Amino acid sequence: MKKILVLIVLVLSQYSYSQDVNLTGEISDTVIVTSSRYQKNINELPYSAAIIGLDKISTAPSQSVPELLRTESGISLIRDGIWGAEINIRGLSRSNVVALIDGNRVETSNDISARLSMIDLNDIDRIEVIKGAASTLYGTGAMGGVVNIISKQDNYSNNFFLKGSLNSGYNSVNNNYLSGLNLSAGAERWTARLTGSFRRADNTKTPAGTIANSQYKDNSLSGALNLKPLDDQELKLIFQQFNAEDVGIPGGNGVFPANATVRYPEERRKMFSAEYDINNISNSLRKISAKYFYQYMLRDVENIPHQVKTVAASNGQPAKRVNVLEIDPTAEHNSYGLQFQSDFTLGSNYY
């Protein structure tokens, strides 16, 4: 029986069948990115990039930008606690990753500032991530990559419009209340947008017990105004403010003793941006733009080590106990930016 089966297999193996299959269709190329300093199709980028769109932002159970990015390939999540989080891109630390909001750089002088946690998710339209070195565009701090967060904007309309939305939620795991409000209006020559949010959470409960010092409270307010004085000219004004209070860092963030009480008593971020664009000047000179922005960040840390040291007697001095009561490092960061850009189209393949 085995010999018959082997013979059948040998006979069948002498014959093969093939058929040509032609696939037709069009590849969608509607994904446009701006992290290259001008609008470009994502398929034309020379580097690896990822786009997190509004669908994922509005449906993913995330409370910060790093949590939205954690499922992307090459990106890993770093936590300073339940509230504070950052990212690594392909193994390069957060100090090598540039963060931008509408192209405006979020600059701090330390790693544990939780800069990407100080952004209202309700005000984000999409997130563009460059994976890999982008130093030619953004300087040496972008050796790991770039995260560019694009705020929501409304389109001009021939008719006046007014719209709004209110969302709220509750998480029982940490008694977390959250709410957000969006209002926008506009017409043929102007659009205006106002967004606000509030969150408050107690310590997180897990099957293993309650995570002490994991509470937080924050709120945000942002506004945007776009004006078209002429058909080919536009003025864009953006203001954002984010405040956080009593943000706990469980376990001392791995730097301090495990029983230390470490928290952000106060975190602040303010940004103002003004941009003026002139479009379609000629067939070759497509655009001239000028932008100014200012960004302020406050990082306030409180560390209560709960640590007592015994110093042995020496040089005639008696032994003594030293109690470290509190350590309060505070830093203020002010960033100013000025950018001029002109876009030339010299041919179908030259920009």
Side-chain angles (χ1 to χ4, degrees):
M1 185 64 181
K2 292 182 179 179
K3 293 182 179 179
I4 296 175
L5 291 175
V6 171
L7 181 60
I8 293 174
V9 171
L10 290 174
V11 171
L12 292 177
S13 66
Q14 303 302 314
Y15 298 91
S16 63
Y17 174 77
S18 64
Q19 180 177 353
D20 294 334
V21 178
N22 295 322
L23 300 178
T24 60
E26 296 181 357
I27 299 176
S28 175
D29 59 351
T30 58
V31 180
I32 302 296
V33 297
T34 59
S35 295
S36 57
R37 295 291 191 187
Y38 63 94
Q39 290 189 355
K40 197 171 186 178
N41 185 280
I42 191 171
N43 297 327
E44 300 174 354
L45 298 179
Y47 42 75
S48 176
I51 306 295
I52 294 83
L54 187 59
D55 291 342
K56 181 175 181 179
I57 295 172
S58 59
T59 58
S62 304
Q63 65 179 20
S64 65
V65 170
E67 288 191 2
L68 282 171
L69 300 176
R70 63 183 174 181
T71 58
E72 296 294 323
S73 62
I75 298 177
S76 58
L77 180 66
I78 305 172
R79 286 198 177 277
D80 289 340
I82 303 300
W83 180 87
E86 268 283 356
I87 62 169
N88 277 0
I89 297 181
R90 294 178 175 175
L92 289 177
S93 67
R94 46 195 162 181
S95 61
N96 293 313
V97 176
V98 167
L100 307 169
I101 301 177
D102 296 316
N104 306 323
R105 189 159 176 154
V106 183
E107 194 68 77
T108 60
S109 62
N110 49 69
D111 283 349
I112 56 174
S113 59
R115 55 181 178 170
L116 291 180
S117 296
M118 302 175 69
I119 300 166
D120 184 8
L121 295 182
N122 294 315
D123 197 34
I124 298 177
D125 179 70
R126 69 183 187 276
I127 305 173
E128 303 174 357
V129 182
I130 296 177
K131 304 176 187 178
S135 300
T136 55
L137 289 176
Y138 297 101
T140 56
M143 288 299 295
V146 175
V147 177
N148 189 18
I149 299 164
I150 310 297
S151 302
K152 290 180 179 178
Q153 291 189 5
D154 293 295
N155 296 322
Y156 298 99
S157 174
N158 292 330
N159 301 313
F160 171 79
F161 68 87
L162 175 64
K163 58 184 179 180
S165 64
L166 174 66
N167 62 81
S168 60
Y170 173 75
N171 296 325
S172 60
V173 69
N174 58 352
N175 198 28
N176 179 17
Y177 295 92
L178 61 154
S179 60
L181 175 66
N182 295 277
L183 296 173
S184 59
E188 185 178 2
R189 293 289 182 178
W190 64 276
T191 65
R193 183 178 185 85
L194 182 66
T195 304
S197 69
F198 172 80
R199 299 186 301 181
R200 184 193 65 80
D202 297 331
N203 289 331
T204 300
K205 301 178 181 65
T206 70
T210 301
I211 302 177
N213 197 36
S214 59
Q215 77 289 340
Y216 64 87
K217 181 170 65 175
D218 62 32
N219 62 81
S220 69
L221 179 66
S222 61
L225 176 64
N226 294 350
L227 301 173
K228 289 185 67 175
L230 299 172
D231 290 339
D232 293 327
Q233 299 185 26
E234 185 177 20
L235 173 65
K236 302 177 183 178
L237 302 174
I238 299 175
F239 172 78
Q240 294 180 356
Q241 176 174 293
F242 193 100
N243 305 314
E245 298 176 359
D246 190 26
V247 177
I249 305 178
N253 192 37
V255 178
F256 311 107
N259 64 335
T261 300
V262 184
R263 69 187 186 108
Y264 296 130
E266 186 180 18
E267 294 284 283
R268 299 282 184 266
R269 183 181 70 83
K270 293 182 180 180
M271 185 191 76
F272 171 76
S273 174
E275 179 179 355
Y276 198 87
D277 299 335
I278 304 176
N279 301 291
N280 302 319
I281 300 172
S282 68
N283 291 333
S284 58
L285 181 55
R286 305 305 302 272
K287 179 179 178 180
I288 292 178
S289 64
K291 177 196 282 191
Y292 166 82
F293 79 89
Y294 165 71
Q295 191 148 222
Y296 166 82
M297 295 188 71
L298 168 67
R299 171 185 173 269
D300 190 16
V301 180
E302 179 186 66
N303 173 23
I304 304 175
H306 302 297
Q307 196 173 33
V308 178
K309 282 189 175 184
T310 300
V311 180
S314 64
N315 299 325
Q317 297 292 328
K320 55 185 176 181
R321 290 163 58 91
V322 178
N323 185 10
V324 181
L325 297 178
E326 189 174 339
I327 303 171
D328 293 311
T330 301
E332 292 185 332
H333 313 271
N334 293 277
S335 300
Y336 302 87
L338 187 62
Q339 175 183 315
F340 293 94
Q341 180 170 324
S342 56
D343 296 2
F344 291 88
T345 300
L346 304 179
S348 58
N349 296 318
Y350 300 93
Y351 186 92

